[in-house]
Amino acid sequence: SCELALRKPRSTEELCEAMGSNLEDLHRLASIVGDMLFLSNADRGVPARRAWAPSLGALAVEVLEFHEAALLDAGLKAEVLGDAAAEVDARLLRRALSNLLGNATRYASPGSAVLVRIERQSAREVSIAVHNAGAAIEAEHLPKLFDRFYRADAARAGGDRNHGLGLAIVAAIARMHGGAVRASSAGGVTAVGLVLPARGPDAV
């Protein structure tokens, strides 16, 4: 498009339109490169920088507030249910929750509620999952949701805005904490999240 724009004299308006379109593409490419570098570091075993977080619920509320406009635009309500304390990398957990909320917002039925459920699974584990009402995901797709670039439904994927790395990053963040990811879809409700150790590996 740059070559076409420069091939003959153009008005300022035409050049601005071409530059704006190219800038959007460059931002998208930069985002993909940044995400791939993050996944590469995670694959090399870079650990999470864990610190004691007395309220994962408060952290989740911060992320919900960031997504408030997108949720309103989609006609959705959102709520955090439950709470727990744990040793986590707060910055990474916010990123994971943001990806999960973005995913739920895209596929939730308008007028429904997106729920962030935080539960202590045991003395050693904490579960954080985002639930949304909407079309079910077939069972054979569930184990692949966290693969890079995988899309269970390409027609709904919004490939012009989403490049299929969001849930792969969630899985990487879970691994960096020594945890795992979970996904289920039944009865019109899909839940995607992660299970993390409540304490770090050096905890006594």
Side-chain angles (χ1 to χ4, degrees):
S1 63
C2 286
E3 291 173 348
L4 288 172
L6 296 172
R7 189 167 292 175
K8 66 178 184 179
R10 305 272 182 183
S11 68
T12 301
E13 184 178 347
E14 288 175 316
L15 289 174
C16 285
E17 184 178 346
M19 291 174 65
S21 176
N22 291 342
L23 188 59
E24 288 182 9
D25 288 341
L26 288 170
H27 281 316
R28 181 169 177 271
L29 286 171
S31 177
I32 293 172
V33 171
D35 287 349
M36 292 298 291
L37 287 172
F38 177 85
L39 290 170
S40 177
N41 285 333
D43 288 344
R44 290 192 295 108
V46 175
R49 297 179 179 179
R50 301 168 64 123
W52 187 249
S55 174
L56 298 183
L59 189 150
V61 168
E62 291 177 17
V63 180
L64 273 186
E65 290 174 349
F66 178 78
H67 282 260
E68 184 176 8
L71 289 161
L72 286 173
D73 286 345
L76 301 170
K77 297 179 180 180
E79 185 179 359
V80 176
L81 301 177
D83 199 1
E87 285 186 4
V88 298
D89 186 319
R91 178 181 61 86
L92 290 181
L93 188 55
R94 286 190 189 96
R95 183 172 185 178
L97 274 171
S98 185
N99 288 359
L100 290 169
L101 278 167
N103 193 68
T105 301
R106 283 193 293 277
Y107 300 128
S109 299
S112 65
V114 173
L115 303 178
V116 181
R117 293 186 181 274
I118 302 171
E119 299 175 314
R120 183 168 287 283
Q121 299 289 295
S122 67
R124 297 186 176 185
E125 289 186 329
V126 172
S127 169
I128 307 169
V130 176
H131 299 241
N132 71 272
I137 300 173
E138 306 242 350
E140 65 265 25
H141 293 300
L142 292 174
K144 302 175 184 177
L145 289 181
F146 301 96
D147 293 350
R148 298 177 194 186
F149 303 112
Y150 185 80
R151 292 187 173 108
D153 185 349
R156 300 189 313 161
D160 57 331
R161 300 178 305 279
N162 311 299
H163 45 263
L165 292 174
L167 293 185
I169 288 173
V170 173
I173 290 171
R175 291 196 307 273
M176 293 168 75
H177 282 82
V181 286
R182 304 269 175 86
S184 64
S185 188
V189 176
T190 295
V192 184
L194 55 171
V195 177
L196 304 177
R199 303 297 298 265
D202 300 327
V204 178

